Amino acid sequence: EQKIKDFSSQLESIISKANLDLKFKSSSEFKQSTSKLTEAICNSLEEALENNQKAQLLVLKGRAFDLYEEYNKDAEDALTKAIKLDPMNKVVWNTLGNVLWKRKDYEGAKKAYESCIDNCGKNKEALRSMSMILRCFNDEKIKSYNTKESLKFAKDAVAEDFKDGESWYVLGNAYLTNYFVNAKKIDELQNALKAYNQAETQNFKNCADLFYNRANVLMYLEDYQESMMNFKRSDELDPSLNAKEMINIVVDRVKHVEYAINNKGKMKPKKL
């Protein structure tokens, strides 16, 4: 029991560091600590006699191997075994969904999240994952329907915990996607902006995508100053998103608007 608690504590510590520092997963410290943890868990699994202990260790093994950015078969195998021993564990279903997602098995991931809700009841992790996975299917015939369903799941996730910043962020993305796919109404952009603002208020502040997506919404709403500030913050958190290029686009738009105003849209006096 104590070993399991220690493993769990180590795993949460690695996850916490990874969430706070985007570069941590590419560091030697991450590779060493994760490798050491998975090896220790595997050794304990060989010694485990009771099904309850095996189930807990298999979950930890699956979650530990899932820390890597790429799909990991060891993670899938461990979680598949864990489900047979503990089918009422929402962590197992949700983590398996994430693993299958990395394998680009979107249908399999969707079924895992659905099974999580069916077996364990509504929970914010499965609900927001359902919202996201539904937006991964490229079939144009179901795109509109999936986008609407995605928005419903995102709203349900927020309803489970109004203080969860990640759920608000997912809701913002769902509104933004719905704007492009279905609504095309300014209200959807305003709703997306409100959700992103709420995500930041609820301490979801280290997500570069949040600021990048909010910057895009602000650009569409023609709030160029706030848009640039968000693109800059996104670039600070994750330069790989190329937010600097978007800043240049915003600057060009501002110059174009300024030029049009100064030249009265190039309209002749009579037309004015």
Side-chain angles (χ1 to χ4, degrees):
E1 280 295 325
Q2 187 56 48
K3 272 189 177 181
I4 292 174
K5 288 181 180 179
D6 290 342
F7 291 151
S8 182
S9 177
Q10 292 173 47
L11 179 62
E12 294 303 328
S13 176
I14 295 172
I15 292 172
S16 179
K17 285 183 180 179
N19 288 336
L20 291 172
D21 183 5
L22 291 171
K23 297 178 181 178
F24 178 66
K25 281 196 172 184
S26 59
S27 68
S28 57
E29 181 188 350
F30 168 77
K31 293 174 183 176
Q32 290 172 5
S33 56
T34 304
S35 177
K36 185 178 179 181
L37 176 60
T38 51
E39 184 179 352
I41 293 172
C42 289
N43 290 337
S44 292
L45 255 173
E46 293 178 4
E47 300 170 2
L49 298 175
E50 297 179 8
N51 282 343
N52 182 45
Q53 284 186 326
K54 287 181 180 179
Q56 292 181 70
L57 288 166
L58 283 167
V59 175
L60 288 169
K61 179 182 176 180
R63 292 182 66 203
F65 276 114
D66 187 46
L67 288 171
Y68 296 104
E69 295 291 341
E70 311 83 20
Y71 162 75
N72 188 288
K73 191 176 187 304
D74 288 325
E76 183 178 352
D77 290 344
L79 294 165
T80 302
K81 292 176 182 177
I83 283 172
K84 294 177 181 177
L85 296 172
D86 189 7
M88 305 298 286
N89 189 331
K90 69 176 184 179
V91 175
V92 185
W93 286 112
N94 282 319
T95 310
L96 178 60
N98 297 342
V99 171
L100 295 173
W101 194 334
K102 288 179 182 178
R103 184 152 65 83
K104 298 191 185 304
D105 180 4
Y106 301 137
E107 190 60 45
K110 177 172 169 285
K111 287 179 180 177
Y113 300 133
E114 288 173 333
S115 295
C116 180
I117 296 169
D118 291 341
N119 287 285
C120 313
K122 281 188 175 183
N123 60 90
K124 61 186 179 183
E125 295 85 2
L127 290 167
R128 65 182 177 226
S129 292
M130 276 295 294
S131 175
M132 292 185 285
I133 200 70
L134 284 169
R135 287 182 260 126
C136 290
F137 293 90
N138 293 320
D139 189 343
E140 290 297 325
K141 294 179 181 178
I142 59 172
K143 191 171 185 179
S144 176
Y145 173 78
N146 276 359
T147 302
K148 291 175 183 176
E149 287 297 297
S150 168
L151 185 54
K152 289 179 184 178
F153 278 110
K155 288 179 179 178
D156 285 346
V158 169
E160 288 294 308
D161 184 359
F162 285 105
K163 294 184 178 181
D164 189 288
E166 187 174 355
S167 294
W168 280 106
Y169 164 68
V170 171
L171 178 59
N173 289 345
Y175 273 124
L176 183 56
T177 304
N178 196 49
Y179 169 78
F180 287 110
V181 177
N182 291 317
K184 295 290 192 299
K185 295 178 181 177
I186 200 75
D187 289 351
E188 291 300 274
L189 290 179
Q190 295 287 4
N191 287 333
L193 184 59
K194 289 176 184 176
Y196 289 141
N197 291 344
Q198 194 63 30
E200 185 180 15
T201 300
Q202 300 300 339
N203 291 318
F204 199 63
K205 298 178 179 179
N206 293 312
C207 177
D209 288 308
L210 165 62
F211 293 96
Y212 189 93
N213 292 350
R214 185 167 64 180
N216 273 307
V217 171
L218 289 163
M219 183 170 65
Y220 290 126
L221 294 173
E222 298 183 354
D223 189 343
Y224 297 122
Q225 185 174 355
E226 286 293 324
S227 177
M228 286 180 64
M229 288 176 62
N230 276 268
F231 277 130
K232 286 178 181 177
R233 180 57 181 147
S234 175
D235 187 61
E236 290 170 0
L237 290 169
D238 185 2
S240 70
L241 292 178
N242 296 320
K244 284 182 179 178
E245 293 181 13
M246 294 304 298
I247 292 173
N248 293 332
I249 290 174
V250 175
V251 170
D252 288 341
R253 286 197 180 188
V254 172
K255 288 180 179 178
H256 179 76
V257 171
E258 185 180 20
Y259 178 82
I261 292 172
N262 291 337
N263 291 273
K264 296 179 180 179
K266 290 187 177 181
M267 293 179 72
K268 294 179 181 180
K270 287 182 180 180
K271 291 187 177 181
L272 287 173

